[in-house]
Amino acid sequence: MRISRKLLISTFLVSTSLFVFAQQEQNKESETSVENEYLNDVDSDIITTLVDSDDYDNKLVALQYLTSAIEDGNTSDGIIRALDRLAGEGLTTQTRTNGRLTNNYPEIRRQACLLMAQVPTEHTKNVLTSIVVSDNEPAVIAAAVKSLGEVGINNNDETVNAIAFANTRIQVLNPSSSLAHEVLNAFELLADSTENKKPMIDAIARIASDYHHPVKTRQKAQKLLKSLSSTSDKDKKDSKKSSSSKSSDTAAEVDGN
C-alpha cells in the first residue's frame, strides 16, 4: 500500500513538472514570435522610409536591408511592397520635376529584379513579367528574365510568352547578348512546363541566327533547339502510341460485344 502511495506521488510530481516545463516552452515560443513580428515591422518601417526617399544612395541601402530581411525569412507585406516599388523605380512609380523624370534608376530595378528570385510566388511572377514586357533597359529585362526562370512559374505559358515578346522587341531595337543568354537559360528551365513551345522555339531560332551575338551564345541556342526538337518528336510518338492503344482497346470492346 505504501509503495502504491509513493508511486502515485512520484507520478503526480513528474506530471506536474512536465506540465510546468511545457507551459514555459510555450511562453518562450510566444515571446519569440512576438519579438520576431516586432522586428519584422521595424525592418519594414526602415526599408519603407529608405525606399520613399528621393535619394539614389538611400535606395541602394534599402536593397541591402531587403536582402538581409529576405535571407532572414522576412517576407511580410511591407517587405514585398518595398521590393515591388524598387523593381518598378522610374517605370511603374515615377517622380517628375518640371516634367522631367527624376527617378529613372535602371540599376535599382535590375538589383531588385534579381532579388525577387528569392520570393518565388505568383505575385512575384506577375511583377517580373510586367517589367519584362514594359521596360526598355536590356540589363533590367535580363535580370527579370533570369529571376523568372528561377521562380519557375509558367501558368498558361504566360511567362514564356512574355520572355519571347521581350526578346523579339529588344532584338529589333537594341540587340543584347547578355539578354539573349538569360533568355536561353530561362527557356531551358521553363521548357518542361510549356504547352505551346512555338513562341519559345521562334525566339531561340532568332538568337541562333543573329550574328550580333557571340558564337557561344548562338551555339547554345542551336543546342537548345535540337533538345526541344527531339523532345517534341518523342512527345508526338508517345501521343500516337497512346492514341493507337486507345483505338485498339475500343475495337476489342466492340468485337467482344
Side-chain angles (χ1 to χ4, degrees):
M1 187 67 179
R2 287 178 182 175
I3 295 174
S4 298
R5 288 182 63 188
K6 287 181 179 180
L7 182 61
L8 286 171
I9 292 170
S10 299
T11 303
F12 174 75
L13 290 173
V14 170
S15 300
T16 303
S17 299
L18 289 173
F19 175 77
V20 171
F21 177 76
Q23 199 68 23
Q24 288 174 342
E25 289 299 310
Q26 188 174 357
N27 289 339
K28 284 181 183 178
E29 289 178 6
S30 179
E31 289 172 6
T32 302
S33 178
V34 170
E35 182 181 355
N36 287 339
E37 189 173 340
Y38 172 76
L39 290 174
N40 287 349
D41 289 341
V42 171
D43 281 345
S44 297
D45 290 342
I46 293 171
I47 291 168
T48 299
T49 301
L50 291 168
V51 169
D52 289 341
S53 168
D54 292 331
D55 188 73
Y56 178 84
D57 289 337
N58 281 344
K59 295 182 189 296
L60 284 176
V61 175
L63 280 168
Q64 293 173 7
Y65 270 103
L66 277 168
T67 301
S68 297
I70 291 172
E71 286 177 353
D72 290 340
N74 182 0
T75 55
S76 63
D77 290 343
I79 294 295
I80 299 302
R81 281 195 301 270
L83 187 57
D84 291 351
R85 166 76 182 269
L86 291 179
E89 191 69 44
L91 186 67
T92 57
T93 304
Q94 297 184 342
T95 303
R96 295 183 180 274
T97 302
N98 297 324
R100 183 176 66 86
L101 184 64
T102 57
N103 68 327
N104 183 26
Y105 302 140
E107 179 58 18
I108 297 293
R109 299 200 298 273
R110 187 188 73 82
Q111 290 190 36
C113 285
L114 290 174
L115 186 55
M116 280 188 157
Q118 296 186 37
V119 192
T121 64
E122 183 75 21
H123 171 79
T124 300
K125 184 266 292 184
N126 291 336
V127 173
L128 287 169
T129 51
S130 68
I131 291 169
V132 161
V133 170
S134 57
D135 208 303
N136 290 319
E137 295 289 341
V140 178
I141 299 172
V145 167
K146 175 179 171 63
S147 288
L148 280 171
E150 293 174 7
V151 168
I153 299 174
N154 184 34
N155 300 337
N156 300 317
D157 296 348
E158 289 175 350
T159 303
V160 163
N161 291 340
I163 293 173
F165 171 81
N167 177 72
T168 301
R169 180 168 62 90
I170 294 300
Q171 208 164 8
V172 171
L173 298 174
N174 183 20
S176 166
S177 295
S178 60
L179 173 58
H181 178 75
E182 295 301 346
V183 167
L184 294 175
N185 286 342
F187 281 164
E188 202 166 13
L189 292 170
L190 296 168
D192 290 342
S193 65
T194 304
E195 294 294 328
N196 178 18
K197 291 186 171 59
K198 188 177 186 309
M200 177 186 285
I201 290 172
D202 288 346
I204 297 170
R206 287 192 184 93
I207 294 172
S209 60
D210 190 336
Y211 287 88
H212 289 99
H213 303 314
V215 173
K216 286 187 177 180
T217 301
R218 298 201 308 273
Q219 287 176 342
K220 181 178 177 65
Q222 291 165 1
K223 183 178 178 181
L224 185 54
L225 275 176
K226 289 179 181 177
S227 174
L228 289 172
S229 177
S230 61
T231 301
S232 178
D233 289 342
K234 182 178 180 300
D235 290 342
K236 286 178 181 178
K237 287 179 181 178
D238 290 342
S239 178
K240 285 182 180 178
K241 285 181 180 179
S242 178
S243 298
S244 176
S245 176
K246 287 180 180 177
S247 298
S248 299
D249 290 343
T250 303
E253 288 178 6
V254 171
D255 291 341
N257 291 333

